[in-house]
Amino acid sequence: MKPSVLIVEDEPQMRRLLELNLGGDEYIAHSVGTAEDALKFIETSHVDVVLSDLKLPSMSGLELLEAVRRIRADLPFVVMTAYGSVESAVGAMKAGANDYIPKPFPSWDAVKIVIARALDVRRLREENRNLREALGQRYDLPGIVAQSPKMQEALGLVERVAQTNSTVLICGESGVGKDLVARAIHQRSRRSKGPFVKINSTAIPENLLESELFGYEKGAFTGAATSKPGKFELADGGTLFLDEIGDVPPPVQVKLLRVLQEREFERLGGTKTVKVDVRLVAATNRDLRAALEDGTFREDLYYRLNVVPINLPPLREHKEDISALAALFLRKYAQSSGKRIDGISPAAMERLTQFHWPGNVRELENVIERAVALSQGPVIEPGDILIDEATPKPSAGAAPFLPEGITLEQWEDEMIREAMRRAAGNKSQAARLLGLSRNALRYRLSKLGFADDAEN
Ligand SMILES: Nc1ncnc2c1ncn2[C@@H]1O[C@H](COP(=O)(O)OP(=O)(O)OP(=O)(O)O)[C@@H](O)[C@H]1O
Ligand SMILES: [Mg+2]
């Protein structure tokens, strides 16, 4: 059955155009001229997705959205926004819209893509919910340990999202398996025969990131002696994994937004528009919402990326997986070192499960690798387990507090100066010390009156 689209548009000519272009092979299109009529229609007829203007005669599109959310929380709702009005788009997304499309439309295809995506995501969420509810459903992916409910939930999402073209945002602390999961999404998708291309925005100097992503034409800048395709072109037909998305500088964010919306871009110094078929998987080990508050990360891009978030838990929150992970790494390193080691003694295992693993699965892997190297017998003993206990646990005693007479803001400023001193002025390193993105640090430094010399 064709999905039914309800068009809410007060301008008669536009309404007819929408109905003509959307109705037909793919959808059954209905249209109304006011929000009030839309509500009546939704209450009495079958609707799969709403496409609504924001500006409507009496009740606004936003009010309609709120009313619809009260009666059908999961009905896909796409708003049409005035071109360039980022605030209204973001406002609508915050109020629960699934997506937005600027007016005038970039193309009719763009409208259809947005609608199809909204339907896709709804189906995905529904299926995931149903599957989780179905008793005994377990997900199993080669090379990924996931016995705990939290990891099962993550893998369930991986499995479902892999079948779609949705953008995926993987969040989680360093070492929790974001790379592993990004690859799994690619492998489980219809794109698995296509390329998997990874790019890490912190590993590339900021001024090169744009040309790495989008490519350049000969003569685009000094040194561009030939033209070169970017990662987006290299990933055509496959998956682009953009690691550390929180560190992408604002000009590149704008370009990313356009690729996500229109699936096209130009190379640096180029005039020809390049169209690509790429699924973007992004990852971050920071809370991007903090970057939104700082203004270092665009809200519209955030909502585009956050269509399907996959949150990977820190290892201390799924300790049930520690013994299977340890066994996996033991096999891996015993094999590569040619040692015969059969297992881990109960006392050694006890040490592994007691630790809080600030470095997550990667740290556990390193500890097992070392244990294999140290071990003298067929079993790993507690003495073989060298854990770097120096990393402080959250302290149990009196909670530290701000020094007398200092405000939180002054304290933060002082910490930022201290981090810059410790990092000898290197912003990337100072950002790491503070757990901030480079952009967020740059923003704070500019407030403190540091010169912005772009690099390092
Ligand atoms: N659930 C898991 N099962 C098996 N191996 C895992 C699992 N999670 C992580 N690993 C392994 O732990 C190591 C670190 O994982 P990965 O590189 O994917 O982490 P990450 O979240 O991308 O870290 P970073 O933020 O530092 O980039 C890898 O060797 C990975 O294979
Ligand atoms: Mg990684």
Side-chain angles (χ1 to χ4, degrees), residues 193-446:
K193 296 235 157 51
F196 176 87
V197 177
K198 176 180 165 172
I199 178 165
N200 182 335
S201 63
T202 46
I204 295 170
E206 219 179 287
N207 53 345
L208 295 184
L209 184 61
E210 190 172 352
S211 62
E212 277 290 315
L213 277 170
F214 302 104
Y216 55 82
E217 293 295 349
K218 186 176 167 179
F221 44 83
T222 7
T226 55
S227 55
K228 200 183 142 198
K231 300 280 187 195
F232 265 103
E233 281 173 79
L234 296 177
D236 198 15
T239 307
L240 179 64
F241 176 39
L242 183 45
D243 208 359
E244 302 297 354
I245 184 90
D247 273 304
V248 169
V252 181
Q253 290 177 28
V254 178
K255 239 175 144 167
L256 271 177
L257 185 64
R258 180 165 161 231
V259 185
L260 288 182
Q261 285 178 177
E262 292 159 34
R263 305 278 146 188
E264 59 180 43
F265 59 89
E266 285 91 33
R267 287 182 179 178
L268 254 74
T271 50
K272 208 177 77 199
T273 299
V274 184
K275 283 199 182 288
V276 285
D277 168 30
V278 171
R279 166 187 349 224
L280 187 69
V281 176
T284 175
N285 59 21
R286 302 197 184 86
D287 185 1
L288 272 188
R289 273 165 308 191
L292 292 183
E293 275 165 30
D294 283 349
T296 52
F297 203 82
R298 293 179 64 102
E299 281 200 301
D300 43 9
L301 179 58
Y302 174 73
Y303 286 113
R304 278 266 182 260
L305 290 170
N306 207 28
V307 181
V308 183
I310 298 183
N311 295 307
L312 293 180
L315 185 54
R316 62 185 171 280
E317 287 178 14
H318 59 114
K319 289 194 164 188
E320 309 96 293
D321 287 323
I322 289 180
S323 72
L325 282 166
L328 174 78
F329 299 139
L330 181 65
R331 273 198 306 279
K332 175 171 162 187
Y333 291 105
Q335 199 170 40
S336 64
S337 68
K339 278 190 176 179
R340 252 214 76 186
I341 303 177
D342 303 322
I344 299 172
S345 77
M349 190 56 86
E350 178 67 15
R351 286 207 63 197
L352 296 178
T353 42
Q354 285 311 312
F355 190 53
H356 61 294
W357 300 111
N360 295 302
V361 183
R362 177 177 300 113
E363 187 180 12
L364 174 61
E365 180 169 359
N366 292 341
V367 166
I368 300 292
E369 183 180 7
R370 239 178 302 167
V372 168
L374 291 174
S375 141
Q376 307 274 341
V379 172
I380 301 283
E381 298 294 345
D384 303 326
I385 307 271
L386 300 183
I387 290 176
D388 182 10
E389 304 265 9
T391 17
K393 270 202 198 88
S395 77
F401 199 66
L402 291 175
E404 279 283 322
I406 288 194
T407 67
L408 178 60
E409 207 170 334
Q410 288 166 338
W411 180 249
E412 278 189 14
D413 292 350
E414 195 38 56
M415 288 304 109
I416 286 169
R417 289 203 177 86
E418 178 60 28
M420 285 297 278
R421 272 193 290 274
R422 290 187 187 197
N426 180 313
K427 284 180 198 158
S428 300
Q429 202 184 331
R432 261 195 301 279
L433 287 173
L434 293 162
L436 288 174
S437 71
R438 256 191 328 198
N439 286 328
L441 177 64
R442 226 184 353 258
Y443 170 80
R444 282 165 188 249
L445 286 174
S446 71

